[in-house]
Amino acid sequence: MNTYLKLAAFDFRLYLRDGLTLFWILIYPILMLLIFGQIFGNQPGAIEGTRYIDSYVPALCVMNVLSVSVFTLQINMVTYRGSGILRRFRVTPVKKWNVLASHALQGVCLVLAGAAEILIVSKLVWNIDVTAAGIAQLLVSILFGCIGFFSLGFALSGLSNSPGAASGLAMIFFFPMLFLSGITMPLDIFPTFLQHVSEWIPMTYFVNLAQGVWLGGSIFSFGLEWAVLAGFAVLCLALAFLLFRWES
Amino acid sequence: METTNVANAIQLTQVRKQYGSAIAVQDMTFGVRQGEIFGIVGPNGAGKTTLIEMIEGLRTPDGGQIEVLGLDVGKHREALKQRYGVLLQSTSIPGRAKVRELLQLFSSFYRKTADVEQLSRSLRLDDKQQTAYKSLSGGWKQRVSLALALINDPEIVFLDEPSMGLDPNARSEMWEMIVRMRNEGRTIVVTTHYMEEAEALCDRIAVIDKGRLVALDTPRKLIARLGGNRRISFRNPGTAAQHRLSSLPYVVQADWLGEEIVLHSSNLDQTLKHLFRLAESENWLVSELRLGDATMNDVFSQLTLQERRQAQ
């Protein structure tokens, strides 16, 4: 455990020393929020009595999980491995899970910071309803989703050796999931065949869950969503360990 | 230092490793004694890395047995990682990390650790603690790597090309530190390209070529194996035929090293006499003549050359 905590602190310090990437990860969701919120924010939402902004807040938190995982975590892991440090760790008692969990903790911090930002700005600008129960339910579902999506990022990091190739991979996963999961616009305005495509994207279930619990639904009433996310987590976690490499 | 009741710190028996149909290491049997500096030398692709990684437990041999500190490597990989230290080539550390952070991080990996303050002092790293790794010079980077290799007060230290890319001063300091580690009772396994390093540093040297152990002895005995040969080198006149030089009396080996020709002779006086005669008859001049004792370099080129001939 000491190994893990020290490693996590070490990795996080190295990450923070690279200020530019942190800047982007904290600025991007706020830009999205202000742009889309400004355009659609006060329009009526999918559920009676809600506004678009009410569904957009949890969706953005979910998007943040995706961008942290495929951009930050994936590319960081590729760079980290490229530095040769994992090769060095391999001849110490450090285990695979120490490395993965250290980067995952970093991801959780970024996701939580992003969520806090989104909630505060939406409260100030659109005066959204914020309840303790809503926040708690949202956090539980987001953290659960992190397991699968972070693992996806780690699995992808095993596929490339250069940050360039890694960001290419990130794009391939990021944009389809962003547009086909209902994050930016509700799925009901999509053509039928695209709605069918979105049913095959795990992100869709993540968005549904986060929006559902945020808009007052019970955390226990999303059986399908929990099941899909759990299955996705198991699959990706296995892939993350399988594709983990100590050397570039 | 913990003592074990085995004679050898490392024992390999009939070890074999292949990748697909390519044999990387075969029939490897040798022991590394406790408290010696053991060199592993060989050309690129000889199997040094595979061999070391099997001893470290990172790769599993396809056949044979490896025991480290009396324990089977395959079964006690994690326990052994606590008891050895490794120095890899210097590029394996993130540049932004500070020396102190690295030392604290690595010391958190081990159950038993050296006194970090004392270790820093002994490697003169105490005033570099807040320096980022990337802004250190090559010699200081190697000191940091060495500190990380010693942070668990290891019984065995593996050094991979410890003086690669170091200037002569830093190299001789590195050698002193390695000898000091041995004098503290540690067993040192060092792979190197520099025959000079192997000769100056190692108590015994294993010469490896094409996955086989071709020789194992002290540097002095390996050199003596050349039959008390002396070394004659001179500038390549460009016109001398190799077969006529290698068939001069008492010449055991003739090497063309670019601009230089090196002859190994078991009778210096006779070979020299005939060399000058040959030069005169062929109308060229023996220039930049140097005479010397054979070195590890000569041993190495002869041993690997023999292997090549046998393989043909």
Side-chain angles (χ1 to χ4, degrees), chain B residues 24-266:
Chain B
V25 167
Q26 61 179 325
D27 199 20
M28 197 69 79
T29 300
F30 66 81
V32 176
R33 292 178 198 142
Q34 207 136 18
E36 72 175 340
I37 301 178
F38 187 90
I40 297 179
V41 303
N44 280 332
K48 298 191 298 272
T49 306
T50 302
L51 185 64
I52 292 286
E53 290 186 345
M54 286 193 291
I55 299 172
E56 289 167 350
L58 305 183
R59 290 179 195 280
T60 314
D62 295 319
Q65 225 203 349
I66 305 178
E67 280 193 355
V68 175
L69 299 168
L71 300 171
D72 184 294
V73 170
K75 291 188 194 118
H76 299 92
R77 198 168 88 114
E78 294 307 320
L80 286 168
K81 277 183 177 175
Q82 294 280 351
R83 296 170 69 183
Y84 67 66
V86 179
L87 179 136
L88 297 175
Q89 289 173 38
S90 60
T91 47
S92 53
I93 286 167
R96 267 191 266 265
K98 293 175 186 166
V99 173
R100 174 152 206 89
E101 290 169 353
L102 287 165
L103 294 173
Q104 284 180 339
L105 175 68
F106 276 71
S107 73
S108 77
F109 296 164
Y110 296 98
R111 281 195 290 271
K112 182 186 80 169
T113 58
D115 180 342
V116 174
E117 304 298 323
Q118 200 190 324
L119 183 61
S120 291
R121 259 201 311 280
S122 78
L123 292 168
R124 290 194 277 126
L125 285 168
D126 30 2
D127 55 346
K128 303 273 182 196
Q129 296 287 315
Q130 292 305 323
T131 312
Y133 181 76
K134 66 175 169 199
S135 39
L136 295 170
S137 71
W140 286 102
K141 281 183 177 158
Q142 278 304 70
R143 277 172 190 264
V144 174
S145 301
L146 202 57
L148 298 182
L150 293 174
I151 203 121
N152 57 334
D153 192 15
E155 290 155 75
I156 301 179
V157 187
F158 296 97
L159 306 168
D160 183 16
E161 303 282 353
S163 56
M164 183 90 109
L166 296 186
D167 62 51
N169 266 340
R171 185 183 300 182
S172 67
E173 281 177 5
M174 176 56 78
W175 290 357
E176 275 171 35
M177 290 184 277
I178 295 172
V179 169
R180 204 202 306 161
M181 278 154 49
R182 192 252 330 259
N183 295 344
E184 287 164 353
R186 305 181 211 277
T187 305
I188 319 284
V189 177
V190 51
T191 56
T192 180
H193 269 92
Y194 300 118
M195 290 308 136
E196 188 198 355
E197 177 164 87
E199 189 175 338
L201 200 60
C202 298
D203 297 312
R204 289 192 308 148
I205 298 171
V207 183
I208 302 220
D209 192 27
K210 294 189 167 161
R212 286 175 177 281
L213 180 67
V214 292
L216 170 60
D217 220 324
T218 63
R220 196 178 300 172
K221 281 192 183 147
L222 284 174
I223 292 164
R225 253 208 219 181
L226 292 178
N229 292 344
R230 305 291 304 278
R231 190 178 198 275
I232 303 167
S233 73
F234 51 96
R235 194 182 168 77
N236 187 346
T239 51
Q242 184 160 12
H243 71 271
R244 272 201 284 279
L245 282 173
S246 44
S247 57
L248 284 173
Y250 302 103
V251 168
V252 291
Q253 191 191 339
D255 293 325
W256 259 241
L257 307 172
E259 289 290 280
E260 190 190 32
I261 293 175
V262 179
L263 303 180
H264 293 103
S265 164
S266 53

Side-chain angles (χ1 to χ4, degrees), chain A residues 3 13 17 83 88 90 92, chain B residues 81 86 91 96 101 108:
Chain A
T3 295
R13 265 203 302 268
R17 242 162 247 170
S83 77
R88 182 64 185 81
R90 198 179 175 201
T92 70
Chain B
K81 277 183 177 175
V86 179
T91 47
R96 267 191 266 265
E101 290 169 353
S108 77

